[in-house]
Amino acid sequence: MSGPIHIGSDGEWQSLLSGTTVVIADFYADWCGPCKMIAPHFERLAKEHSRPKKVAFAKVNVDNQANIARTNGVTAMPTFVVFHNGTTVETIRGANPTALTEAITKAVSLSNGGKAEDVFKTPGRTLGGDGSVPGQGRHWSVTLLINIIMMFVGLYLASLFSIDSYKAAEQSMFNPKRQQPPLKPASAAGPAPAGSARAQQQSTALQEPTGGSRSQSVEDIEKVVREAKQRFRDTLPKGYLNEEEYALYERLYGPPLRETAPEDVGIPTHADMGGQSTRVNDERTLLRQLEEGGFEEVTYRIPYQESGVAEASSGSEQPLASDSALEAIEESPGYVDAVARNPREHEALQRLMQDFKAAQKKQLEDEIAAAREEAEAEQEAYEMDEEDDFFEESEETTAELGRDMSLGETRRFHPFTLQGRFHGSPVEISLPQSGLVTPIRDLLDRTHLSHVKAAAEAAFGGQGLPTSPSTPEGRKNGQMGGVGLPPDQRHMTEIEADAFLAGYLPPAYASVTSVLREVRKRLGSDWIQQRLKKKENAGLSVLDAGAGGAGLVAWEQILNTEWDLLREKGEVTGSQPPGRKTVITGSDRLRHRLKSFLHNTTFLPRLPDYEHSGEMQGEHLDAGNKPQPRKSYDLIIASHLFLKEKQDHYRQAILNNLWTLLNKDGGVLIVIEKAHPRGFEAVAHVRDTLLKQFLLPQNGEPSIPTEELNPAFHKEREAGHIIAPCTNHGTCPMYKEAGKSKGRKDYCYFNQRFTRPTFYTKMLGNSSNNQGDVEFSYVAIQRGCSKTDQLPGWKATELAFAGYKNSKESPDMQTLPRMVLPPLKRKGHVTLDVCTPEGKIERWTVPKSFSKLAYHDARKSHWGDLWALGAKTKVSRSVRVGSGVDDGGKRAEGGKKPRKVEITMDGGRLSANEKNARKERRTKGKRERQTDLIKEILEAEDLEEQEIEREMDTEVEEELKLEEEEKQRRRRR
């Protein structure tokens, strides 16, 4: 039997209703606690009763499928609806396992040809409803007749001797419809002292059944035991059942596994029911605008360490969390009142709630104590001399540096530290909803997401999508190739195109956005704004070669920001910035999908090849008198183009082609590959080739020694420089020898955190975590413009080591060392692994005694930042680049004797034996040795058989020869 079917679209829902006789639907929500409690019960029933085309169980998420929920009138969760031939015949609202089981049992009988009006004669039940069904016939007995007579006599006597007979009969104890006053839980007033009258009443409430009689019938005991099993499953609260009840429980279900914990009854999930708790003072709210035009309130929490530092800087002593934070964890009986079915359950659940609140309160106290200790440590690290007037900045500097940073952050950090940051603010990138997430989700709604997930795993290397732009942790060593499904692939099926949208675009967008932010910081806004302000120019042109459209979406975010700034200044007019966008897509199916949200975009099936094309003038009939204009782009995003090419000359051809497409006047080329040794080597090969063959050496830096150049690829050098991540134009310290290196451990790469869309988390198989990371290696080069600061590398390293803390002028950020690993934070000092402008990997130490400001900023620095505040000591760091170029073992043979071949004659046949042959690198295993031994035995047997056959042939020939000679002698006689 199969389990419930998760509905993903309106079409799937209509198909299920039309193709199945009976459908039982569970309308639920992810945030609904009762939905989670009854979900296992519903799944068990689904596995037990599901039958193809007869009975089907469906789960409908009301948040994702609002149209289906609205059509069926769902207003509360959970709601269970029974459909017979597409028509609603029963509705159960609330988490009522008994009513649900009864309704499903009746619904199953309909699949055998029953009529709905005969099976379902009563309306659906709701949460808290009793087990009686109105309208059913009663079972008459003598006891029932006596009770009716006594009730009639009692009502008659009560109304006979009273002034208001109607009111007296209504309030009489013999009235079966009299409303009982609500029972007040025994624990509502707190635990009673031992031996008091109220403690005895509490004990009696636990031991007595609801009717108040001390003697329990077999039916009452069985009811209590079954309700205990339903509520607490395989556990039991301490002292919940008496001896008779426990004996029956043990006989029916066996002994309980353990004592009931708050988690077993859903208390941690619903502990906040019954009212809103007071916010602690480290929580803040923002209003975020929705796509429909409204606003929603977003709550965020300020980290304790930042709050502590801010308070320390202001000089006021405020507690990190007020006492209201502890008062917010007070007892909230809303959930207990909602689910308790009798005083005994209420008392047991209330005790579990108190235990949970006590544990939560202690945990919060421990967290606050730990946060206070950390804040005190941060305050001590941040204390500065009062004579230091560094933070008295001009309003213009504060406005320029704090455009993307908060005012408090600008005051706490050195401005050069903020300028050198690799990540933006906030660090986590959110994918644009209207520009990327919503269009992809709408396209994926046409297909069940499980099918898309299977296709994505088939295309991107299995679970976790290791050959997508984002490589999961632990899958880097085994998957060092390129992406599994590149956008320039000529043929894609429908499901492969959907898998590309779901598994490729989100991490590709995050990596490209991170690199574009860094390029914008290093080149400044003028690089974009100057081209936008030119009226005769058509704006900037961008080519997305390899990102499948994600690069264009990322570029639009940055371009629109600069355009809005120019509009505020009145320097440009219009709602949209001008420009041309081009993307490489080889498949028609993928192109049709991208067209739905990439507007005003040119789609090319492959890269234009101007390197091997003529001018198209004169010699061709349809060429015309003028040569065809060649395309030129201000920005080219080459994502995952080089790693998939195995041969160096193929990579060289792609690089030449991209270089001819790049604008000669300040065009920017960005190369991105996967973050593993092979991906870094592909990027480093592009960088090395550009410096050796394409770009002129920088002033004050020696030219990189050039090897023998291929005349077919030789070009005239021109001005240009590396924007990021390198701050040197010499040989990469992690790529001193070109080619693949076996056993490489250190390589240059960076990471970017982003918010995963729901469909992407389902592709990875983890729907609970929406926080993802993408790692990548990259290099960005500008053509036609040299570096602004032409300091030699050794001089720039010396100045950076001394630090620019007291410098009044901002240094050129492209002459500062960059952190290539996360900083190592130790007590009293911070260690930074940096790549210096001199082209070396060094380890700089910033102790607290060097500078309190530098020590504070070093502790808050991140991987990829540029460092401008200097250090106290530095040492060279050895780089683990492996055993050199992996050329199949030829390097290891350089110091050995030359090979010699000895030719011998064996049985009339020539054989060649090699002397001084290279030995095997690895020793053979036991299985290999056994295989070799078997081969030797078989070869020896073959040789022996051949020798025996040869001897037998010789003997036969000799016998024939003797017979022939004997015949000849006889003839002569």
Side-chain angles (χ1 to χ4, degrees):
M1 296 295 179
S2 60
I5 301 172
H6 291 265
I7 302 300
S9 63
D10 291 350
E12 184 179 2
W13 171 251
Q14 295 299 333
S15 176
L16 181 64
L17 288 179
S18 60
T20 310
T21 305
V22 176
V23 177
I24 300 98
D26 175 14
F27 291 89
Y28 72 99
D30 293 334
W31 45 264
C32 172
C35 299
K36 297 178 180 178
M37 292 177 58
I38 200 170
H41 183 70
F42 183 77
E43 293 178 359
R44 285 195 297 270
L45 293 173
K47 293 179 180 179
E48 180 180 354
H49 297 292
S50 294
R51 287 187 295 169
K53 297 184 179 181
K54 292 291 186 180
V55 181
F57 290 75
K59 291 184 72 68
V60 182
N61 191 322
V62 296
D63 293 331
N64 299 335
Q65 306 299 330
N67 186 29
I68 300 176
R70 191 183 312 109
T71 303
N72 292 278
V74 177
T75 58
M77 277 67 68
T79 296
F80 301 92
V81 182
V82 180
F83 296 89
H84 180 235
N85 294 329
T87 305
T88 302
V89 296
E90 180 75 340
T91 302
I92 300 97
R93 292 184 178 86
N96 193 340
T98 304
L100 178 61
T101 304
E102 182 181 348
I104 291 176
T105 303
K106 293 180 179 179
V108 171
S109 64
L110 291 178
S111 63
N112 299 324
K115 295 183 179 181
E117 56 272 15
D118 296 336
V119 177
F120 293 98
K121 297 181 179 179
T122 60
R125 304 178 182 218
T126 59
L127 181 64
D130 55 10
S132 60
V133 181
Q136 288 187 354
R138 297 184 176 181
H139 299 281
W140 291 94
S141 63
V142 177
T143 305
L144 180 60
L145 183 59
I146 294 175
N147 291 335
I148 293 176
I149 295 175
M150 292 178 61
M151 177 184 67
F152 178 76
V153 173
L155 290 175
Y156 175 76
L157 295 177
S159 60
L160 182 63
F161 299 101
S162 61
I163 300 175
D164 191 348
S165 59
Y166 181 80
K167 185 176 182 181
E170 187 180 29
Q171 296 179 356
S172 173
M173 61 179 295
F174 297 98
N175 182 13
K177 296 185 179 181
R178 180 172 64 99
Q179 295 183 355
Q180 300 290 339
L183 292 175
K184 184 177 181 181
S187 60
S196 63
R198 188 159 55 87
Q200 295 177 2
Q201 293 176 1
Q202 293 178 2
S203 177
T204 304
L206 284 178
Q207 299 298 330
E208 292 182 357
T210 309
S213 175
R214 291 185 179 272
S215 60
Q216 289 180 291
S217 62
V218 178
E219 292 79 5
D220 294 336
I221 296 177
E222 184 177 356
K223 180 181 179 182
V224 171
V225 171
R226 293 190 183 279
E227 289 181 350
K229 180 64 176 179
Q230 292 174 3
R231 176 63 64 201
F232 305 109
R233 301 186 184 276
D234 296 330
T235 65
L236 268 183
K238 186 177 181 180
Y240 184 78
L241 301 178
N242 57 29
E243 295 181 0
E244 296 179 354
E245 294 167 346
Y246 185 80
L248 179 60
Y249 181 95
E250 196 171 24
R251 186 168 67 253
L252 292 177
Y253 309 110
L257 298 180
R258 53 180 171 79
E259 187 177 344
T260 305
E263 294 80 7
D264 298 327
V265 290
I267 286 179
T269 308
H270 310 91
D272 55 349
M273 288 181 58
Q276 295 182 350
S277 60
T278 307
R279 286 179 178 167
V280 294
N281 65 348
D282 61 341
E283 288 188 356
R284 302 293 186 269
T285 57
L286 291 174
L287 291 179
R288 181 171 61 188
Q289 188 173 6
L290 301 176
E291 298 179 4
E292 297 80 7
F295 293 88
E296 67 173 349
E297 185 178 350
V298 180
T299 304
Y300 66 96
R301 177 166 292 183
I302 301 177
Y304 287 122
Q305 59 268 24
E306 295 186 6
S307 300
V309 175
E311 291 160 4
S313 62
S314 63
S316 62
E317 297 183 357
Q318 297 179 359
L320 288 175
S322 62
D323 295 336
S324 61
L326 299 180
E327 296 173 358
I329 310 272
E330 288 191 0
E331 184 176 331
S332 176
Y335 173 67
V336 175
D337 291 339
V339 300
R341 294 173 291 188
N342 52 65
R344 187 188 301 202
E345 268 192 14
H346 191 284
E347 181 71 19
L349 292 175
Q350 195 68 29
R351 286 200 302 267
L352 292 173
M353 177 71 78
Q354 291 174 358
D355 295 341
F356 172 74
K357 294 301 183 182
Q360 286 290 96
K361 187 174 182 179
K362 186 178 184 305
Q363 180 181 359
L364 181 59
E365 291 175 349
D366 295 341
E367 291 178 356
I368 293 175
R372 283 174 177 165
E373 293 178 1
E374 186 175 358
E376 291 174 0
E378 291 291 340
Q379 180 178 353
E380 182 182 355
Y382 187 72
E383 288 177 353
M384 299 179 58
D385 298 333
E386 295 181 358
E387 296 85 6
D388 192 356
D389 56 352
F390 182 81
F391 292 114
E392 295 179 1
E393 307 170 8
S394 62
E395 294 181 1
E396 296 180 358
T397 305
T398 303
E400 181 179 357
L401 295 177
R403 183 163 53 189
D404 294 332
M405 315 291 179
S406 63
L407 183 61
E409 190 175 40
T410 306
R411 288 177 176 175
R412 292 198 304 273
F413 291 88
H414 196 286
F416 299 158
T417 301
L418 300 179
Q419 291 184 41
R421 282 184 172 177
F422 175 72
H423 296 96
S425 179
V427 175
E428 188 176 53
I429 291 178
S430 296
L431 275 65
Q433 292 291 326
S434 58
L436 192 65
V437 177
T438 302
I440 295 178
R441 187 173 60 240
D442 294 341
L443 291 171
L444 295 178
D445 284 343
R446 303 177 300 179
T447 309
H448 198 282
L449 207 56
S450 61
H451 301 322
V452 182
K453 180 176 181 293
E457 291 180 348
F460 296 116
Q463 189 175 7
L465 312 183
T467 59
S468 67
S470 177
T471 305
E473 195 65 30
R475 301 294 296 274
K476 297 178 182 178
N477 294 331
Q479 303 284 348
M480 290 198 185
V483 294
L485 188 64
D488 57 354
Q489 181 171 310
R490 296 300 302 274
H491 301 286
M492 285 188 188
T493 62
E494 296 287 348
I495 195 68
E496 284 179 341
D498 290 337
F500 179 88
L501 297 178
Y504 191 100
L505 291 186
Y509 171 84
S511 58
V512 173
T513 300
S514 180
V515 176
L516 287 177
R517 282 184 175 181
E518 180 67 12
V519 171
R520 178 193 178 193
K521 289 179 183 178
R522 303 306 151 227
L523 294 181
S525 297
D526 292 339
W527 170 63
I528 301 176
Q529 293 184 3
Q530 287 179 358
R531 287 169 169 77
L532 293 178
K533 289 187 291 186
K534 292 182 180 180
K535 296 183 179 180
E536 68 278 2
N537 195 2
L540 285 89
S541 58
V542 57
L543 172 64
D544 183 348
L552 299 183
V553 179
W555 171 249
E556 284 183 353
Q557 304 296 316
I558 294 178
L559 191 65
N560 290 333
T561 301
E562 298 294 347
W563 183 258
D564 292 340
L565 292 175
L566 292 176
R567 287 179 58 191
E568 292 177 0
K569 298 177 183 178
E571 298 180 4
V572 295
T573 57
S575 58
Q576 296 294 331
R580 293 185 293 111
K581 299 180 296 182
T582 307
V583 61
I584 305 297
T585 52
S587 170
D588 293 338
R589 292 182 174 90
L590 179 60
R591 181 167 63 253
H592 292 327
R593 284 164 170 78
L594 295 178
K595 281 183 177 180
S596 62
F597 60 92
L598 294 181
H599 307 292
N600 301 325
T601 302
T602 302
F603 292 85
L604 299 177
R606 58 184 177 274
L607 277 173
D609 189 2
Y610 297 143
E611 189 72 15
H612 303 90
S613 60
E615 295 293 338
M616 296 295 293
Q617 178 183 3
E619 298 181 0
H620 301 272
L621 296 176
D622 56 349
N625 297 326
K626 296 182 179 181
Q628 295 290 331
R630 298 193 170 190
K631 298 181 184 298
S632 178
Y633 298 96
D634 298 301
L635 174 66
I636 298 179
I637 304 170
S639 180
H640 308 289
L641 290 184
F642 294 91
L643 182 58
K644 62 181 181 180
E645 304 295 341
K646 304 300 181 183
Q647 302 297 329
D648 291 344
H649 62 276
Y650 289 160
R651 297 179 180 179
Q652 180 79 53
I654 294 176
L655 180 59
N656 290 344
N657 198 11
L658 293 173
W659 195 255
T660 57
L661 296 173
L662 193 63
N663 188 357
K664 297 181 180 180
D665 185 17
V668 175
L669 172 63
I670 296 175
V671 178
I672 302 176
E673 290 293 345
K674 290 173 66 65
H676 49 60
R678 300 291 89 86
F680 159 73
E681 289 163 355
V683 175
H685 176 77
V686 172
R687 177 188 182 276
D688 191 59
T689 304
L690 288 171
L691 293 177
K692 289 179 179 179
Q693 303 180 19
F694 290 76
L695 301 181
L696 292 170
Q698 300 298 314
N699 185 23
E701 293 187 0
S703 176
I704 298 179
T706 306
E707 301 175 356
E708 296 182 3
L709 298 179
N710 188 343
F713 294 141
H714 181 67
K715 290 182 175 292
E716 184 178 355
R717 294 194 175 189
E718 54 187 306
H721 73 284
I722 298 176
I723 305 170
C726 312
T727 58
N728 71 86
H729 282 67
T731 303
C732 176
M734 297 185 183
Y735 192 73
K736 293 184 178 181
E737 294 186 62
K740 295 190 299 183
S741 179
K742 183 179 180 181
R744 181 186 297 274
K745 299 297 182 182
D746 290 333
Y747 51 95
C748 181
Y749 69 101
F750 304 90
N751 77 325
Q752 177 61 55
R753 180 163 294 176
F754 67 100
T755 303
R756 295 174 177 171
T758 304
F759 60 82
Y760 183 65
T761 58
K762 292 182 179 179
M763 292 298 102
L764 300 180
N766 183 8
S767 59
S768 60
N769 184 14
N770 66 340
Q771 192 177 72
D773 289 279
V774 56
E775 297 178 343
F776 52 90
S777 297
Y778 81 98
V779 64
I781 308 99
Q782 187 174 28
R783 183 181 183 184
C785 300
S786 300
K787 289 178 64 175
T788 305
D789 197 334
Q790 296 291 339
L791 282 176
W794 62 270
K795 184 65 175 178
T797 304
E798 286 185 357
L799 294 176
F801 181 73
Y804 293 94
K805 174 178 176 296
N806 299 319
S807 176
K808 296 182 179 180
E809 297 182 358
S810 175
D812 184 4
M813 288 293 156
Q814 299 186 49
T815 62
L816 298 178
R818 186 181 294 275
M819 301 181 196
V820 293
L821 288 173
L824 302 176
K825 303 174 185 179
R826 298 291 184 265
K827 186 176 181 179
H829 70 276
V830 181
T831 302
L832 309 176
D833 292 320
V834 297
C835 180
T836 64
E838 193 177 359
K840 296 180 180 179
I841 304 296
E842 295 180 346
R843 177 161 286 183
W844 291 14
T845 303
V846 182
K848 184 178 178 181
S849 59
F850 173 71
S851 170
K852 292 181 180 179
L853 177 60
Y855 173 69
H856 170 264
D857 287 8
R859 289 185 64 86
K860 299 297 182 181
S861 60
H862 296 86
W863 177 14
D865 292 351
L866 298 171
W867 182 247
L869 301 187
K872 188 173 184 179
T873 60
K874 65 176 181 177
V875 293
S876 297
R877 185 185 183 278
S878 59
V879 182
R880 300 168 296 176
V881 295
S883 57
V885 180
D886 187 4
D887 55 2
K890 297 180 180 179
R891 292 172 55 88
E893 302 164 5
K896 293 187 177 182
K897 297 180 181 180
R899 295 182 178 181
K900 295 182 180 180
V901 179
E902 180 182 4
I903 301 177
T904 60
M905 183 73 70
D906 184 12
R909 293 180 298 177
L910 292 176
S911 63
N913 296 323
E914 184 179 353
K915 291 186 175 181
N916 302 326
R918 176 171 55 88
K919 295 182 179 180
E920 293 292 336
R921 296 182 180 180
R922 295 180 299 175
T923 59
K924 295 183 178 180
K926 182 178 180 181
R927 184 180 296 276
E928 293 179 351
R929 291 196 301 269
Q930 291 176 352
T931 304
D932 293 343
L933 180 59
I934 293 174
K935 288 182 179 180
E936 292 178 2
I937 295 174
L938 294 175
E939 290 175 357
E941 291 178 354
D942 291 339
L943 292 175
E944 187 177 357
E945 290 179 357
Q946 293 175 4
E947 186 67 25
I948 292 174
E949 291 177 355
R950 192 181 301 112
E951 292 177 357
M952 292 176 64
D953 292 341
T954 305
E955 292 177 357
V956 171
E957 290 177 358
E958 291 179 354
E959 290 179 357
L960 293 175
K961 186 176 181 181
L962 292 174
E963 291 178 357
E964 186 66 25
E965 292 177 354
E966 184 68 23
K967 289 181 180 179
Q968 291 179 359
R969 283 198 296 269
R970 290 178 180 176
R971 290 175 184 174
R972 291 174 185 174
R973 293 178 183 175

